[in-house]
Amino acid sequence: ILSSLKNKSSAMAMVTLRYTALIAAVIFAYTSNNHASAFSNTRIAPSITRSSINSPSIFTQHGSVKKQSQLEMKMFSFGSEKDNSLDKRIVSKKKVALKILCKTVTTLSLLAMVTSAAAPSHALGSKAVAEAAPVVEHLHVGQKVANYFRTFGIPDLGILALLSAMPVIELRGAVPVGLWMGLPITTVLPICVLGNMIPIVPLLFLLKNDSLKKLMKPILDRAEKKSSSLGVGSPEKQWASLAAFVGIPLPGTGAWTGAMGAFLLGMPTAVALSSIFTGVVSAGVIMSAITLTGKKGGIAALAALAIITGREFFSSEETAEASAVKQDFLEAEPYFDQSTVPVNVYKNKTPFTGKVVSTKRIVGPKATGETCHIIIDHNGDFPYWEGQSWGVIPPGTREKDGKPHSVRLYSIASTRYGDDMSGKTGSLCVRRATYWCPELKADDPAKKGICSNFLCDTQPGDEVKMTGPAGKVMLMPEEDPTTDYIMVATGTGIAPYRGFIRRLFKENTPAAAAYKGQAWLFLGVANSDALLYDDEWQEAKEKYPNNMRLDYALSREQENKNGGKMYIQDKVEEYSDEIFEKLSNGAHIYFCGLKGMMPGIQDMLKGVATSKGLDYDEWLKGLKKNKQWHVEVY
């Protein structure tokens, strides 16, 4: 048809083309409405496929010369709907709103298609005019939306900014549209970057609102999966990872998803904005290069992005290596001498004030409750050893008497060098304490944990009043490097063991260089989503298979030998012979977690001891006398 328009100036072909486009628009609207309902179907997850559609020739005229370029546009197609009659009856308000939004977008697309397809032609009057008319274009979604906005009299620069701000289009679609409009790249690029960044600033602040977080939970969950790898490494690596994630213009990436990822990582707002801005500029340059010069230009732009972000990775690696070389600056002399362990340096009346670096949820969506990893900056002024605790004084006063809240103790979840190995930070592993009211059938905010909720709600830069460090009972006896450590934990009781394992297998310390024993970790949680720091345990186990051992007790996923739920005492009992043998050879056993774990543990050990002909009380007394028995429960 296009050929007949160009060579024969056929008016009939033009009419046929218009009616074909109109029919296609109706079919598109019908199928799009069906597909849109997949978003509200709780049983069917949308499948996303990518297809490349080469738009026909796009012509720009400079005098009498026509220059042709092709733009590769990306489109999405969503999975089809399956019998959603039941879902329509039980659909929630949020899903109704989402479905209406999908239909609204479809309607806008339909109007844009009809407008472009049914526009009156001035070429039907004469053969000469028809021959001079430009070739009719098959417009992609971004161009159709742009044409629709034009009907409202919005100038092209405003339209370009709006397209850039839309979460689906962003710079992937806006930059080609700007060039299609005939605007110079020197105008298109800054307008697109500005338009893409405008909604990101308020988004980062709005995400702090609890009501909005609940409303956006499905979207945030998807963003968390897409951006999960961004949380690995130092803040510099996070910055570089986020910039690269935003900067590569592919479906599922971009400034909107990057902003949600930065929020989930707990990145400071200023740092997140600078990283996202770098990524947005990179995405604009890459799209400009692809549009103007094709694949070669795109590859060159990607190489530039790799250099920018790669520099951060390499520099952070160098910093880590340098830090590793110097990881003896907080050691005693000799390193196992515990005579200088700091205890209660800061007290309730004169607490230390630390600043939150980041607060990050570290459990999956199906975990029983929320657990957060919180990094606190102490500037090197609050030394501690592995196995000690920090006291935290929550802000505010008690309702009953108006006095300040009492201190709460939390086991420190990092080595003395901190997660960044600088010796200036420390970490806590905190589960948010809530109370489910059977009458309200909801969490009762009046009975929630004061301190745990305060810590889990902290933002970067928030101040935390702390005391300590407290305790010596959980310290590792490092004088004999062949000592075996048996570590038993439930939930956040894993905290001190994270410090142990990082010190023995992660950091370049004298203790790590000397260690020849076996560290055996038992962790009890409800299900796989509730596992804590599993990636770190797996890494240590892979690097040191003879020295690191790991066993999980998942009460809702595993069964014990009697067919009941697998609790921590059941998992330990499976290896009772080996554990008793290790203890008789000088191994140290540690217990940390809720105090409710100990009766079951002790009953199990007593039963095993009896079966071996041992007096349990005498056996336990011997372990305590030799300082092999370490308990810290709450």
Side-chain angles (χ1 to χ4, degrees):
I1 295 173
L2 288 173
S3 177
S4 66
L5 280 172
K6 185 175 181 180
N7 300 325
K8 300 180 182 180
S9 305
S10 172
M12 183 61 70
M14 176 67 80
V15 173
T16 304
L17 177 60
R18 286 179 180 165
Y19 278 105
T20 302
L22 208 54
I23 294 170
V26 173
I27 295 172
F28 174 80
Y30 173 75
T31 57
S32 295
N33 282 332
N34 280 345
H35 291 175
S37 64
F39 285 107
S40 61
N41 192 330
T42 58
R43 296 168 296 160
I44 306 170
S47 60
I48 301 178
T49 59
R50 289 178 51 195
S51 61
S52 297
I53 301 178
N54 290 328
S55 65
S57 303
I58 298 177
F59 292 90
T60 57
Q61 295 191 12
H62 299 276
S64 58
V65 182
K66 296 182 178 180
K67 295 182 180 180
Q68 179 178 359
S69 64
Q70 286 192 338
L71 302 177
E72 183 178 83
M73 304 301 173
K74 308 297 180 185
M75 302 283 286
F76 295 97
S77 61
F78 294 90
S80 59
E81 179 186 31
K82 295 182 180 179
D83 187 21
N84 64 349
S85 59
L86 178 60
D87 297 328
K88 289 181 180 179
R89 292 195 297 268
I90 63 173
V91 69
S92 67
K93 291 183 180 179
K94 286 190 290 186
K95 293 178 181 177
V96 170
L98 188 57
K99 189 171 182 181
I100 292 172
L101 179 61
C102 294
K103 291 189 175 183
T104 303
V105 173
T106 303
T107 304
L108 292 175
S109 302
L110 173 60
L111 290 174
M113 294 181 70
V114 172
T115 302
S116 61
S121 174
H122 300 288
L124 296 178
S126 66
K127 181 177 180 179
V129 177
E131 290 176 350
V135 176
V136 176
E137 300 175 30
H138 288 252
L139 305 181
H140 67 84
V141 172
Q143 292 167 317
K144 292 167 186 171
V145 175
N147 278 341
Y148 178 71
F149 284 148
R150 278 174 166 173
T151 63
F152 294 96
I154 302 175
D156 284 352
L157 292 181
I159 293 173
L160 198 57
L162 286 172
L163 291 177
S164 303
M166 296 175 69
V168 176
I169 298 177
E170 296 194 63
L171 275 75
R172 292 192 304 275
V175 170
V177 169
L179 297 175
W180 166 76
M181 290 175 170
L183 299 172
I185 190 61
T186 53
T187 300
V188 171
L189 184 56
I191 291 297
C192 287
V193 170
L194 179 63
N196 201 196
M197 286 299 299
I198 284 175
I200 302 306
V201 178
L203 178 62
L204 287 172
F205 287 98
L206 288 172
L207 285 172
K208 297 178 181 180
N209 181 276
D210 291 336
S211 299
L212 185 62
K213 279 193 290 187
K214 291 180 180 179
L215 183 64
M216 295 183 63
K217 189 177 184 306
I219 300 174
L220 288 172
D221 288 343
R222 288 196 293 271
E224 185 173 20
K225 291 180 181 178
K226 290 180 180 179
S227 60
S228 58
S229 62
L230 302 181
V232 179
S234 64
E236 291 79 10
K237 282 189 177 182
Q238 288 185 356
W239 186 95
S241 298
L242 181 61
F245 179 81
V246 174
I248 299 175
L250 294 173
T253 65
W256 282 80
T257 309
M260 296 179 199
F263 165 75
L264 292 168
L265 290 173
M267 293 178 69
T269 303
V271 175
L273 283 173
S274 68
S275 178
I276 293 171
F277 178 76
T278 301
V280 168
V281 172
S282 301
V285 171
I286 292 171
M287 284 308 306
S288 300
I290 292 174
T291 304
L292 294 174
T293 60
K295 293 182 179 178
K296 292 182 179 179
I299 293 173
L302 282 170
L305 176 62
I307 291 173
I308 295 172
T309 56
R311 184 181 303 170
E312 293 294 339
F313 278 101
F314 292 131
S315 63
S316 60
E317 288 292 344
E318 292 171 1
T319 302
E321 289 177 5
S323 174
V325 172
K326 298 178 182 178
Q327 275 182 283
D328 57 358
F329 59 91
L330 294 178
E331 300 294 328
E333 185 60 44
Y335 72 90
F336 50 79
D337 181 10
Q338 297 183 356
S339 63
T340 59
V341 174
V343 178
N344 294 326
V345 177
Y346 296 95
K347 299 178 173 57
N348 294 17
K349 293 183 178 181
T350 56
F352 178 84
T353 301
K355 285 193 175 181
V356 174
V357 176
S358 66
T359 300
K360 181 183 177 183
R361 177 187 170 103
I362 56 173
V363 291
K366 295 181 181 179
T368 53
E370 179 182 16
T371 302
C372 295
H373 182 75
I374 304 158
I375 302 177
I376 300 175
D377 182 4
H378 59 74
N379 198 35
D381 297 326
F382 201 155
Y384 59 88
W385 280 37
E386 298 76 20
Q388 290 190 293
S389 300
W390 270 342
V392 176
I393 303 175
T397 57
R398 297 183 298 196
E399 291 185 5
K400 62 179 181 180
D401 55 16
K403 293 182 179 180
H405 290 294
S406 58
V407 65
R408 274 77 161 175
L409 289 177
Y410 292 94
S411 298
I412 302 172
S414 58
T415 70
R416 66 194 73 179
Y417 295 99
D419 285 6
D420 60 358
M421 302 183 189
S422 68
K424 296 182 179 181
T425 66
S427 303
L428 298 178
C429 179
V430 181
R431 174 171 173 168
R432 186 188 296 274
T434 58
Y435 173 76
W436 177 265
C437 178
E439 296 179 359
L440 296 175
K441 295 184 178 180
D443 289 334
D444 186 349
K447 297 181 180 179
K448 68 180 182 180
I450 300 296
C451 197
S452 65
N453 279 268
F454 159 68
L455 289 170
C456 290
D457 288 335
T458 53
Q459 299 292 327
D462 288 352
E463 294 186 345
V464 179
K465 291 184 178 181
M466 305 187 304
T467 65
K472 285 187 175 182
V473 69
M474 296 291 283
L475 297 179
M476 288 191 296
E478 296 177 326
E479 186 171 0
D480 181 0
T482 65
T483 300
D484 290 338
Y485 302 117
I486 303 168
M487 302 164 284
V488 182
T490 56
T492 56
I494 198 71
Y497 308 143
R498 181 174 184 264
F500 291 3
I501 290 172
R502 288 177 69 88
R503 178 165 175 80
L504 296 175
F505 304 122
K506 178 74 172 178
E507 299 177 351
N508 186 9
T509 61
Y515 189 63
K516 299 295 186 292
Q518 185 181 77
W520 191 353
L521 176 63
F522 290 88
L523 173 60
V525 292
N527 53 38
S528 300
D529 268 19
L531 288 173
L532 301 171
Y533 309 112
D534 176 65
D535 55 336
E536 297 186 19
W537 315 144
Q538 300 298 341
E539 180 185 356
K541 185 179 176 182
E542 182 179 354
K543 289 184 178 180
Y544 303 94
N546 297 325
N547 304 100
M548 172 66 187
R549 195 165 171 182
L550 177 65
D551 280 284
Y552 289 143
L554 308 178
S555 61
R556 300 189 183 182
E557 295 180 6
Q558 299 173 340
E559 291 185 353
N560 60 25
K561 64 181 181 181
N562 298 320
K565 291 183 177 181
M566 175 70 77
Y567 292 111
I568 190 68
Q569 63 266 24
D570 301 315
K571 179 58 67 175
V572 174
E573 186 179 11
E574 290 182 0
Y575 304 95
S576 57
D577 290 340
E578 192 172 354
I579 289 172
F580 269 69
E581 182 180 355
K582 282 182 175 292
L583 290 171
S584 65
N585 291 328
H588 285 243
I589 190 166
Y590 296 79
F591 301 94
C592 189
L594 294 174
K595 61 182 179 181
M597 68 184 280
M598 289 312 295
I601 289 283
Q602 290 179 318
D603 288 345
M604 179 274 296
L605 292 175
K606 186 175 183 179
V608 174
T610 301
S611 67
K612 293 179 176 294
L614 299 174
D615 185 313
Y616 174 72
D617 293 332
E618 289 297 321
W619 175 79
L620 181 59
K621 186 184 296 184
L623 292 179
K624 291 180 178 180
K625 181 180 180 180
N626 296 329
K627 298 182 179 180
Q628 295 174 254
W629 182 267
H630 309 262
V631 179
E632 186 174 81
V633 293
Y634 41 86

